[in-house]
């Protein structure tokens, strides 16, 4: 829950339709909270299907002229936007810290990574040229890329700038118009970005933004003039969005969550591995789909190296301080997320897991100050069937489990239907290659090589 804040005046985030900031058709607004303090820092419009109709109509009208421009001219405007993002990166980072709770370094990285996609979109005049093939004496085939029309982008809270940039710059440079639905939890960043897009020279109606919740999302997906939808969020909702678009014969990219695994062999570099593990699971308070939240320790659980590795992970995680300054760890997004994460920890403990590092102390210490704080947590599981071992927690919680063999590690990793990445920590290239060929997620291998050609004995 947001705490009242009298000074400075609250920021009102309205819709942006056809080049104009407009209030919602309903007089309703939701509070925007600072997750580090629970302070009310703004309010965001709670729009209706009527607002969606206006935005899509504006985008459809603008498409008629925008799509006829050359790719080069559209990319030129995007290049101006790229420059404006760089010039205003610190302001955008401050907004991300205020509404999302990332530390300042992470917020700057959010902006930088998003702007990389903007830079990529500026190269589309070369990348989408198409081709002409003379397939026979009297037949010529032309391969070209034409814009679809109105593209809807529905984005989550965890990367307020980067994730919208996965769709917006590419859709615009290829000649589409866009209706963006940012997360109602973090609307301030993209509201400022809209001003930069306008300053860069995007004509009215080419980019529109509608604030709101589920009602707006469903109205956008169902609108007959919308040709494509991109969505990033939880896996259950991504599946619903995909099925809804399929039923309407609309193009759709729906990205969900993940459960990612780290596999540490006894020959891994302890300092390097322990640092990577902590950064992976605790960075951005664990609120990212690339967070690796399961550490599988292969070999004898009483082995000296595995015990030392786990001790270093705990030591480095325990040294992290709460805060939004560089090198500190920020809060989770809201009290609902905090409650969900605390429930996962409690359930694991009830099922026999040992709490080796308890982040719930942060929750108790900040209960009177406000904010949604949970510190880095390390759980040592006795069963690989615990929920926390299989489900996305989306918080700074690391599940550790001992496995005796390589095959057991692969079996645990392979059983998860949604994995974005896996990392193998070893000093032997042959060992890494064995795992790379068998894991189902995309793979990153962390190697301190003694010899790539060492004989491999599966263990």
């Amino acid at each position: 829950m947001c705490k009242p804040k009298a000074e400075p005046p609250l920021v009102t985030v309205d819709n942006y339709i056809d080049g104009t900031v407009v209030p919602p058709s309903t007089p309703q607004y939701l509070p925007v909270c600072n997750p580090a303090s629970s302070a009310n820092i703004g309010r965001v419009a709670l729009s209706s299907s009527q607002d969606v109709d206006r935005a899509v109509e504006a985008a459809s009208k603008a498409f008629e002229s925008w799509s006829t421009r050359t790719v080069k001219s559209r990319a030129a405007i995007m290049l101006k936007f790229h420059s404006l993002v760089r010039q205003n990166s610190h302001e955008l980072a401050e907004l991300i810290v205020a509404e999302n709770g990332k530390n300042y370094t992470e917020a700057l990285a959010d902006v930088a990574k998003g702007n990389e996609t903007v830079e990529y979109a500026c190269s589309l005049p070369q990348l989408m040229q198409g081709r002409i093939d003379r397939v026979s004496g009297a037949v010529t085939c032309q391969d070209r890329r034409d814009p679809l029309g109105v593209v809807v982008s529905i984005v989550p809270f965890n990367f307020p700038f980067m994730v919208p940039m996965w769709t917006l710059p590419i859709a615009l440079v290829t000649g589409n118009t866009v209706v963006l639905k940012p997360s109602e939890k973090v609307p301030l960043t993209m509201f400022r970005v809209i001003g930069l897009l306008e300053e860069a020279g995007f004509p009215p109606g080419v980019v529109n933004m509608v604030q709101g919740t589920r009602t707006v999302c469903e109205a956008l997906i169902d609108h007959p003039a919308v040709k494509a939808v991109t969505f990033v969020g939880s896996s259950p909702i991504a599946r619903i969005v995909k099925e809804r678009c399929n039923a309407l014969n609309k193009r759709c990219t729906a990205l969900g969550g993940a459960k990612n695994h780290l596999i540490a062999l006894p020959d891994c570099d302890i300092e390097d591995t322990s640092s990577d593990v902590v950064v992976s699971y605790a960075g951005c308070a664990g609120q990212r789909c690339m967070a690796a939240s399961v550490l599988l320790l292969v070999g004898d659980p009483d082995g000296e190296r595995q015990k030392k590795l786990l001790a270093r992970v705990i030591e480095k995680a325990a040294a992290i301080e709460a805060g939004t300054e560089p090198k500190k760890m920020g809060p989770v997004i809201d009290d609902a997320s905090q409650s969900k994460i605390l429930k996962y920890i409690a359930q694991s403990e009830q099922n026999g897991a040992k709490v080796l590092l308890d982040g719930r102390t942060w929750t108790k210490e900040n209960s009177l100050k406000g904010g949604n704080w949970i510190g880095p947590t390390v759980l040592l599981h006795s069963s690989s069937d615990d929920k926390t071992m299989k489900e996305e927690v989306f918080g700074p919680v690391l599940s550790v489990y001992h496995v005796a063999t390589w095959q057991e590690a692969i079996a645990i990793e392979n059983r998860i239907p949604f994995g974005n990445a896996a990392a193998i920590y070893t000093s032997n290239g042959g060992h890494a290659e064995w795992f790379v060929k068998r894991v189902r997620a995309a793979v990153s291998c962390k190697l301190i090589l003694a010899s790539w050609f060492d004989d491999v004995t599966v263990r």
Side-chain angles (χ1 to χ4, degrees):
M1 296 293 290
C2 280
K3 295 179 179 179
K5 183 178 181 182
E7 297 292 341
L10 294 178
V11 176
T12 295
V13 181
D14 281 319
N15 298 322
Y16 180 77
I17 300 174
D18 203 16
T20 304
V21 175
V22 293
S25 56
T26 69
Q28 299 177 334
Y29 288 83
L30 294 173
V32 180
C33 301
N34 181 321
S37 64
S38 301
N40 189 349
I41 58 174
R43 62 174 191 161
V44 60
L46 190 58
S47 305
S48 69
S49 58
Q50 182 179 341
D51 301 303
V52 168
D53 290 341
R54 289 183 60 192
V56 175
E57 181 182 355
S60 298
K61 183 179 179 181
F63 176 74
E64 297 174 8
S65 58
W66 180 249
S67 60
T68 61
R69 293 196 182 198
T70 63
V71 182
K72 180 182 177 181
S73 68
R74 296 190 296 253
I77 300 175
M78 189 59 67
L79 187 59
K80 292 179 183 177
F81 172 67
H82 177 269
S83 177
L84 288 170
V85 170
R86 292 185 64 182
Q87 294 171 32
N88 294 274
S89 60
H90 289 281
E91 179 189 357
L92 295 174
E94 288 170 358
L95 289 171
I96 291 169
V97 171
E99 65 180 355
N100 174 274
K102 293 183 188 296
N103 74 38
Y104 191 70
T105 303
E106 293 169 340
L108 280 173
D110 185 339
V111 176
K113 294 300 292 184
N115 214 22
E116 286 181 9
T117 310
V118 176
E119 186 173 343
Y120 169 82
C122 294
S123 67
L124 285 172
Q126 286 71 45
L127 298 176
M128 59 176 288
Q129 290 179 355
R131 64 183 184 181
I132 297 176
D133 292 333
R134 188 177 182 184
V135 296
S136 66
V139 178
T140 298
C141 290
Q142 182 179 6
D143 175 6
R144 70 184 193 187
R145 286 158 174 77
D146 294 327
L148 297 174
V150 180
V151 175
V152 161
S153 180
I154 303 170
V155 295
F157 71 83
N158 58 331
F159 287 90
F161 182 82
M162 182 183 74
V163 175
M165 294 304 117
W166 291 352
T167 296
L168 194 145
I170 297 171
L172 292 176
V173 175
T174 52
N176 301 283
T177 54
V178 174
V179 180
L180 175 70
K181 210 302 283 184
S183 169
E184 67 279 8
K185 299 175 184 179
V186 292
L188 302 179
T189 302
M190 287 309 298
F191 193 61
R192 177 67 183 99
V193 168
I194 284 293
L196 299 180
L197 289 164
E198 190 175 83
E199 185 179 348
F202 285 95
V206 171
V207 185
N208 305 271
M209 186 165 63
V210 182
Q211 314 294 344
T213 55
R214 177 176 176 175
T215 299
V216 170
C217 294
E218 292 178 345
L220 285 168
I221 294 169
D222 293 345
H223 199 289
V226 170
K227 303 302 180 184
V229 175
T230 66
F231 171 88
V232 181
S234 69
S235 293
I237 304 302
R239 184 176 293 110
I240 292 171
V241 169
K242 180 66 173 175
E243 291 173 352
R244 196 170 187 129
C245 289
N246 286 347
L248 296 169
N249 198 30
K250 295 187 179 185
R251 300 191 188 197
C252 178
T253 297
L255 305 179
K259 193 70 175 177
N260 305 311
H261 293 73
L262 308 172
I263 303 173
L265 303 189
D267 65 344
C268 72
D269 182 272
I270 291 174
E271 288 304 308
D272 197 29
T273 301
S274 58
S275 294
D276 271 13
V277 169
V278 174
V279 169
S280 182
Y281 95 86
C284 297
Q287 298 175 120
R288 53 185 179 184
C289 62
M290 291 299 294
S293 56
V294 175
L295 172 62
L296 300 176
L297 298 175
V298 183
D300 183 1
D302 294 321
E304 181 181 348
R305 291 188 59 80
Q306 297 296 50
K307 290 171 68 174
K308 185 176 181 181
L309 172 59
L310 183 54
R312 289 297 286 150
V313 167
I314 296 170
E315 183 180 352
K316 291 179 180 181
I320 297 174
E321 297 179 3
T324 55
E325 298 82 9
K327 298 185 179 181
K328 295 186 178 183
M329 193 182 88
V332 296
I333 189 64
D334 56 22
D335 52 1
S337 293
Q338 183 189 53
S339 297
K340 176 185 173 184
I341 297 165
L342 292 174
K343 184 177 179 181
Y344 271 113
I345 297 172
Q347 286 179 339
S348 296
E349 193 172 23
Q350 291 169 6
N351 291 338
K354 295 180 180 178
V355 182
L356 303 182
L357 180 63
D358 197 343
R360 292 173 293 189
T361 57
W362 284 23
T363 308
K364 297 174 184 176
E365 291 168 359
N366 291 277
S367 60
L368 297 178
K369 300 178 184 178
N372 313 304
W373 296 94
I374 299 179
T377 299
V378 178
L379 305 174
L380 180 61
H381 294 264
S382 58
S383 171
S384 63
D385 290 325
D386 288 350
K387 276 190 173 183
T388 313
M389 282 283 295
K390 298 189 293 184
E391 298 179 5
E392 186 180 41
V393 178
F394 222 60
V397 178
L398 178 69
S399 291
V400 181
Y401 187 72
H402 288 284
V403 294
T405 65
W406 295 7
Q407 291 92 338
E408 187 180 357
I410 287 296
I412 291 174
E413 193 278 337
N414 282 182
R415 72 181 180 180
I416 302 299
F418 44 94
N420 282 343
I424 317 301
Y425 294 93
T426 178
S427 60
N428 186 297
H431 296 171
E433 188 68 18
W434 188 92
F435 280 94
V436 167
K437 292 178 179 178
R438 289 165 176 81
V439 295
R440 290 184 178 174
V443 184
S444 167
C445 295
K446 194 69 177 184
L447 301 172
I448 305 296
L449 286 177
S451 172
W452 185 270
F453 300 103
D454 285 354
D455 292 336
V456 177
T457 303
V458 178
R459 301 165 187 172

